[in-house]
Amino acid sequence: IGMSALLFDASKGLFDHSWFADMEEDARFYWGRGGGWAMMAMAELLSVLPEHHRDRAAVLEIFRSGARGAAETQGGLGLWHQLLDKTDSYLETSASAMFTFAIARGVNRGWLPPSYAPVAQSGWRALEQRVRPDGQIEGICVGTTAAYDAVYYYNRPTDLRAMQGYGPVIMAGAEVMTMVRNFTIRRTNNTYYYDRKQP
């Protein structure tokens, strides 16, 4: 909640990458993995936070707004961009895995409506194309510090040895598998509709 007060743009549903206490006005950069970490952390927090915790509703509201922002910035291939609101920045794997995981977890736990399930499904279908036969994963941005200019983010390289994406890809796949088991899926008019299976 405290972090979101400084970094979350509720009108966009996106997290700024950084906040500088000594700057009156700093430029906002909605870096994919930064936003992905926030969404993933909230999904994990909500999974263990007691239902009657005094701050649960506030965390859930931020999570839902972030899921909306993620859904609205997903690229046409199912992945998310390095800079979420810059469609000319490259499609990045680790952020895509984090958003896929968080949204699938939200659908599975009932924090998000089933209408979000196709967002996670599309994310996973795109992510699985980035896993090589030898298990290496393509398109993961290397370690990235906060910066003052968009050019920095645009030009961060990807590397097969960048470990920031391997865990999130595995977690995304596992959560999507759970989602697919929990719902009956209908394909209509080239999209998917999810109906929760009755126990």
Side-chain angles (χ1 to χ4, degrees), residues 39-79:
M39 288 299 295
M40 200 166 164
M42 281 190 290
E44 293 281 33
L45 175 62
L46 287 166
S47 298
V48 297
L49 195 64
E51 288 291 330
H52 300 295
H53 190 281
R54 68 176 189 269
D55 291 326
R56 184 177 177 84
V59 174
L60 191 54
E61 182 180 348
I62 298 165
F63 177 82
R64 288 174 174 157
S65 182
R68 188 199 74 236
E72 291 175 355
T73 55
Q74 186 178 32
L77 297 176
L79 298 172

Side-chain angles (χ1 to χ4, degrees), residues 1-3 13 27 66 70 76 84 87 91 96 118 154-156 162 171 177 181 189 199:
I1 291 169
M3 181 187 71
L84 296 170
T87 58
L91 294 168
S96 299
Y154 273 91
N155 291 286
R156 295 303 291 153
M171 293 173 72
M177 286 174 61
R181 286 193 205 108
N189 296 330

Side-chain angles (χ1 to χ4, degrees), residues 4-172:
S4 296
L6 297 171
L7 296 176
F8 190 60
D9 184 337
S11 68
K12 293 180 179 283
L14 301 175
F15 285 87
D16 184 7
H17 185 205
S18 60
W19 173 77
F20 299 96
D22 59 347
M23 293 177 67
E24 281 187 34
E25 186 88 22
D26 67 310
R28 293 179 180 176
F29 297 106
Y30 303 109
W31 178 50
R33 190 160 66 226
W37 280 128
M39 288 299 295
M40 200 166 164
M42 281 190 290
E44 293 281 33
L45 175 62
L46 287 166
S47 298
V48 297
L49 195 64
E51 288 291 330
H52 300 295
H53 190 281
R54 68 176 189 269
D55 291 326
R56 184 177 177 84
V59 174
L60 191 54
E61 182 180 348
I62 298 165
F63 177 82
R64 288 174 174 157
S65 182
R68 188 199 74 236
E72 291 175 355
T73 55
Q74 186 178 32
L77 297 176
L79 298 172
W80 279 264
H81 291 272
Q82 167 76 341
L83 286 170
L84 296 170
D85 60 338
K86 306 289 186 189
T87 58
D88 61 341
S89 65
Y90 66 86
L91 294 168
E92 200 279 327
T93 301
S94 62
S96 299
M98 292 170 177
F99 288 125
T100 297
F101 163 79
I103 290 171
R105 172 69 60 91
V107 170
N108 286 335
R109 301 294 173 96
W111 311 325
L112 297 173
S115 58
Y116 277 85
V119 176
Q121 179 184 2
S122 298
W124 177 249
R125 297 300 301 187
L127 284 167
E128 66 183 357
Q129 301 302 313
R130 294 208 160 182
V131 180
R132 292 183 173 189
D134 64 2
Q136 294 186 94
I137 301 174
E138 299 173 348
I140 302 170
C141 179
V142 298
T144 298
T145 188
Y148 300 101
D149 60 303
V151 173
Y152 170 80
Y153 293 98
Y154 273 91
N155 291 286
R156 295 303 291 153
T158 64
D159 194 310
L160 290 171
R161 295 165 297 175
M163 292 293 107
Q164 297 91 333
Y166 281 76
V169 168
I170 293 169
M171 293 173 72

